[in-house]
Amino acid sequence: MKTAIEPGISNRPSLRLRITAAAESIARGGHPWVFAQSVRQQNRPGATGELAVIFDRADRFLAVGLFDAQSPIRVRILHAGKPQPIDHLWWQQRASDAFALRQSLFDPQTTGFRCINGENDGWPGLVLDQYDTTRVLKLYTAAWLPRLDETADLLKGEGRLVLRLSRNIQKQALDDFGLKDGRILHGAALNGPHLDTATSGFIDSLSTRSGERVRERGLSHPVPLDGPVIFLENGLRFEADVLRGQKTGFFLDQRENRRNVEALARGRSVLNLFSYSGGFSLYAARGGAASVCSLDIIEHALAAARRNFALNQDQPAVARCRHETLQADAFVWLRQNPEQRFDLIVLDPPSLARRESEKNDAITAYAKLIEASLARLNKSGILVASSCSAHVSADEFFSLVRATAQKSGRKFNELQTTRHPADHPATFPEGEYLKCIYLGSME
Ligand code: SAH
C-alpha cells in the first residue's frame, strides 16, 4: 500500500515552518493560504510539492500543507488543528468526501459538473470537472506536479482524464516534468460513442471538426480526441473544449443562473453579452425566447455557440428561436449601438479585477457595462448581471448595480440575487467570486 502522496523526498528532516503571529491566527481560523512574507523560520529550503509542517509559537503543531517554493502563496494548507498524518488513506477520504457531496446533486440530465473545487473542497489549487465520461484535472499550483501520478490515480474515475495547467505553471511543468497542457493522463485518447454517452443516439447526425460526417466514419471507429467532448446540462447538449478551452472547457459555475434565465425568457428578445459558447443563449432559446444574440470578442467561442445550437435542434423551442452571433468588443459595441433594445440582457464578463490593484478600474468598467445595458432594456425588460471577480465582493457588486439602476432614472425591481452553486462551494473570502443580480424594469 502507498503510504502517502509524497514524491521521492527521503532522508531529509521534514520541512518545518514558523509563521508570524497574524498568519498563525489566520491559519487557525481556517484560511488555507500562508503567504511567503508570513514565513518567519524554515529549517531548510523546501522543494515545491513537499509537505510543510507549521508549528506555532509554543512549538505545537498548527497545520500541514503543500509547499510551493515559487509561489507567493508559500503553503496551501491541507489540514489544521490536531496532528494528522497525510497518508494515502487521508487523500482517499478527501476524494470520496468531494465525490459524495456531488452524488445527490444531479440527475442523468446533467453530466457536466465540478467534482473538486480547489481549496473549498480541501484540494488547494486543484480543480476537477466532469464532462460526461471525461474528467479534466486543472492545476493552478506547481505543488501538484511531483504528486501527479498518485493524484491522477485517485481522481481518474472510469473514463478519460485530461490534464490542464494554468498558464503560470506551464513552463515549469514542461521543463521539470515533461508535462504539456492537454495531456491525456488516463483512458482513451479517442472519442467514441462508447466513451461519450451524451452523444449516443444522435452522434450519427454530427460533423467532426474536420468536417467529416461521423455517420460516414461509422460508429464503430472512434475518432481521436482532437476537439471538444459533449455533455448534458439540464438536458441541453453542450460541447466542452477540454483540451484548449478556457478554464476546463466550459463555465459550469453558471448552470443555475442559466436555468433562471430559461424561466425568464419566454417571448423575449435576448442579448447575451460575453456569451462564450452560448450557455445562457441556449437556455434562453429553450425557454421560448423569440431571438437571441450571442456577443463575444472571440470568434471560435461564437463558432462553438453555433455548434451548440446545432446540437439541440431536436428541442422545438431551440429550433424556433432566431439565433445570431456577433463578434465584437462588448464595451465598444454598447457605446456604438445605443439604439438597439432588448427584453432580456445577460451580462457575464470575465474577471475584470485579477488582482487587488485592479479593483477600482474593474468597478468603473462594471458601472459602464451596467449603465449601458440598462439603457438598452425595453419596458419590462430584465437585466441579469454577474461578476466573477473575487476582488469585488458580492456586497460591492450588488450595491453598484443598485446605485447604477437608481441613477438611470427608471424604476427597477430587484428580482433576486444568487451566489455559488452547490458543486462550487466557497469556504474562504478569496474562494468566493461568483455573484449575480436580476433586475426587472418597471417602465
Ligand atoms: N457567460 C459565459 C461565460 C463567459 S466567460 C457562459 O455562461 O459560458 C467571458 C467571455 O467574455 C469569454 O468568452 C471571452 O472571450 C469574452 N470576452 C472577454 N472580453 C470581451 C470583450 N471586451 N467583449 C466581448 N467579449 C469579451
Side-chain angles (χ1 to χ4, degrees), residues 246 250-254 258 272-280 295-298 301 328-332 346-352 388:
Q246 297 183 43
F250 198 73
F251 291 85
L252 292 166
D253 52 1
Q254 288 286 22
R258 288 194 275 263
N272 182 8
L273 291 167
F274 306 92
S275 67
Y276 189 54
S277 58
F280 280 101
L295 184 149
D296 202 281
I297 202 164
I298 308 262
D329 179 327
F331 290 90
V332 175
V346 177
L347 186 58
D348 182 27
S351 177
L352 297 178
C388 60

Side-chain angles (χ1 to χ4, degrees), residues 49-307:
E50 70 173 310
L51 292 177
V53 186
I54 301 171
F55 290 88
D56 69 8
R57 276 159 293 173
D59 240 0
R60 285 172 311 215
F61 174 93
L62 177 63
V64 55
L66 292 178
F67 189 81
D68 188 337
Q70 278 82 26
S71 170
I73 305 174
R74 193 51 43 92
V75 181
R76 289 175 166 83
I77 292 178
L78 296 167
H79 167 83
K82 295 206 174 85
Q84 166 71 48
I86 306 296
D87 54 15
H88 192 66
L89 271 180
W90 186 88
W91 286 107
Q92 265 179 331
Q93 192 57 48
R94 290 283 76 71
S96 62
D97 287 352
F99 292 126
L101 173 70
R102 277 75 181 177
Q103 202 136 50
S104 57
L105 293 179
F106 305 104
D107 67 18
Q109 293 305 303
T110 296
T111 60
F113 51 87
R114 178 150 294 187
C115 306
I116 294 181
N117 193 33
E119 280 74 352
N120 310 285
D121 277 305
W123 295 79
L126 179 155
V127 154
L128 184 71
D129 283 347
Q130 176 101 32
Y131 296 102
D132 197 65
T133 55
T134 298
R135 283 184 179 170
V136 184
L137 174 66
K138 180 140 186 186
L139 304 181
Y140 292 87
T141 163
W144 291 103
L145 295 173
R147 303 168 171 271
L148 188 60
D149 288 349
E150 293 92 331
T151 306
D153 253 2
L154 271 175
L155 303 180
K156 66 180 187 285
E158 304 290 304
R160 181 195 290 129
L161 183 68
V162 177
L163 174 70
R164 296 296 308 273
L165 303 164
S166 74
R167 199 162 300 150
N168 60 315
I169 65 167
Q170 286 182 4
K171 188 177 173 338
Q172 198 176 347
L174 191 61
D175 293 352
D176 299 351
F177 299 91
L179 285 167
K180 263 197 176 152
D181 186 39
R183 160 89 66 96
I184 295 174
L185 297 175
H186 280 279
L190 297 171
N191 243 352
H194 60 292
L195 284 171
D196 297 298
T197 52
T199 61
S200 56
F202 76 101
I203 193 164
D204 57 342
S205 64
L206 296 178
S207 298
T208 63
R209 272 161 76 92
S210 58
E212 284 171 273
R213 304 296 290 178
V214 172
R215 190 205 304 270
E216 287 158 16
R217 283 176 159 271
L219 293 181
S220 55
H221 300 294
V223 295
L225 177 67
D226 66 347
V229 298
I230 294 167
F231 68 99
L232 290 173
E233 193 184 86
N234 292 314
L236 284 168
R237 296 180 190 107
F238 286 104
E239 55 173 58
D241 187 355
V242 295
L243 296 178
R244 288 173 284 264
Q246 297 183 43
K247 293 215 181 177
T248 61
F250 198 73
F251 291 85
L252 292 166
D253 52 1
Q254 288 286 22
R255 181 189 317 106
E256 289 176 13
N257 287 319
R258 288 194 275 263
R259 215 179 162 115
N260 294 337
V261 162
E262 175 175 14
L264 296 168
R266 184 164 307 283
R268 292 181 185 267
S269 57
V270 178
L271 173 63
N272 182 8
L273 291 167
F274 306 92
S275 67
Y276 189 54
S277 58
F280 280 101
S281 304
L282 251 308
Y283 278 75
R286 189 172 63 175
S291 65
V292 178
C293 175
S294 301
L295 184 149
D296 202 281
I297 202 164
I298 308 262
E299 168 49 33
H300 66 72
L302 296 170
R306 292 190 290 272
R307 287 195 299 273

Side-chain angles (χ1 to χ4, degrees), residues 402-425:
R402 289 171 191 139
T404 311
Q406 203 156 34
K407 258 194 261 160
S408 76
R410 280 162 79 184
K411 256 182 109 172
F412 288 93
N413 252 354
E414 189 169 316
L415 307 177
Q416 67 168 329
T417 58
T418 64
R419 309 285 276 266
H420 280 233
D423 60 332
H424 288 66

